[in-house]
Structure formats: structure tokens, C-alpha cells
Amino acid sequence: MATEPKALEDLFHDTLKDVYYAEKQILKTLPKMAKAAKSPELKKAFDTHREETEGHVERLAEVFEIIGKAPRGKTCDAILGIIEEGKAVIEEYSDSPALDAGLAASAQAVEHYEISRYGTLKAWADQLGLKDASKLLAETLAEEERTDKSLSALGKTVNAAATKKAA
Ligand code: FE
Ligand code: FE
């Protein structure tokens, strides 16, 4: 059976499904991370980003609409793996001083995955002449990058708290 040759349009649609699935998983995971975090600042960072993530799902739905497709996810093994590792940190470090440092690092792994996906999708939207889609993807990309930076800053505090001997 001959398969249809696939073009960038198909890749764009497939990757949109991947990140749509990923965002929905992240939406379910962030409250668990907020609950597990000891630092009030880290808890707040997770709560704030959960709210932003709702917006990411909505923007993706708009991008699906722009390309005339129904919003639908496709299992993303990468995000499931990253989330699974985050869960392991919560289990293995519960009540340990290094818990928050581990949570911040797990959250940054999620952000970096998203930054990679949104960067790619934006570049493809530009190539495909999808100006409105590109703008929506750039807005989310900027929020993911901002979250990553604030987690780096917060990380310094939680890393210090996790260290046995202060320098
Ligand atoms: Fe996101
Ligand atoms: Fe994010």
C-alpha cells in the first residue's frame, strides 16, 4: 500500500498534537508539584505556571482552528518520561532537604521540552506563512522561557537550602 508523501504541513499538525497532549499532562502534574514543594515561592511558581498553562492549551486550540483541524492530542512519550522522573523525585526525596532542588530541576526539564517544541513549531509556522499561528506560538514560547529563567533564579535559593555545608 502506497503511503502519501508527507510535507511540512503534516509534520506541523503532528507536532501540534504532540505538544497539545504534553500541555494537558503538564496541567495535571503542576498541582502535584505545587503540593509537594516545601518552599512557598516554588509552590507559587508552580501555581502561576499552571494558570499560564491553561492559556497554552487555549492558544494551541486556536492554532488547530487556523489550520482547519480539530484539537486532538497524540501520546508524547517524551513528556511522560520527564513527568515520570519528576514523580520519582517526589517519592524518593519526600521530607528530604533536596526535594525542592529536585522539583525545580524536574520543572525545568519540562520547560526545556516545551521551549524546544514551541521553537520548532514557530519556525515551521513562519515557513508555512501561518502568521497568526506564529504569533500565538511565540507568546507561549516567551512564557515558557520566562518560567525557565525564574526557576533558575529560584533554584539558587532551594539549592542552597539543600546543601549540607554552606560554602
Ligand atoms: Fe506550556
Ligand atoms: Fe511550561
Side-chain angles (χ1 to χ4, degrees):
M1 206 168 75
T3 35
E4 205 61 21
K6 293 184 178 186
L8 195 66
E9 285 83 347
D10 304 295
L11 205 49
F12 182 79
H13 183 209
D14 271 337
T15 307
L16 208 55
K17 289 191 216 166
D18 171 287
V19 78
Y20 189 71
Y21 177 91
E23 289 284 19
K24 292 209 156 183
Q25 293 296 318
I26 295 164
L27 209 46
K28 284 198 276 182
T29 303
L30 280 166
K32 293 176 192 163
M33 295 179 75
K35 198 174 164 230
K38 298 279 177 255
S39 144
E41 289 83 10
L42 193 59
K43 260 185 206 297
K44 191 165 168 272
F46 291 150
D47 284 334
T48 303
H49 199 51
R50 190 199 52 77
E51 281 169 35
E52 284 177 343
T53 299
E54 285 174 5
H56 301 174
V57 172
E58 280 167 30
R59 283 194 195 110
L60 287 174
E62 284 181 60
V63 177
F64 275 108
E65 207 183 322
I66 288 169
I67 61 165
K69 306 279 186 190
R72 207 164 290 152
K74 177 184 171 190
T75 306
C76 165
D77 291 322
I79 203 69
L80 291 178
I82 293 170
I83 289 171
E84 209 45 57
E85 290 190 358
K87 277 187 193 153
V89 167
I90 294 175
E91 281 165 26
E92 292 165 22
Y93 285 83
S94 65
D95 297 325
S96 289
L99 174 67
D100 280 356
L103 285 173
S106 297
Q108 281 190 283
V110 171
E111 293 317 305
H112 281 245
Y113 181 72
E114 292 181 292
I115 289 165
S116 158
R117 283 315 198 194
Y118 282 106
T120 295
L121 282 168
K122 191 204 168 292
W124 289 347
D126 289 338
Q127 172 62 33
L128 295 169
L130 301 167
K131 277 192 190 143
D132 292 342
S134 172
K135 198 170 158 271
L136 289 163
L137 294 163
E139 283 171 26
T140 298
L141 179 60
E143 284 178 0
E144 310 292 22
E145 286 172 339
R146 209 188 310 132
T147 301
D148 178 49
K149 283 203 180 76
S150 68
L151 284 168
S152 283
L154 261 176
K156 287 192 181 166
T157 314
V158 296
N159 293 347
T163 307
K164 280 183 192 166
K165 287 173 199 154

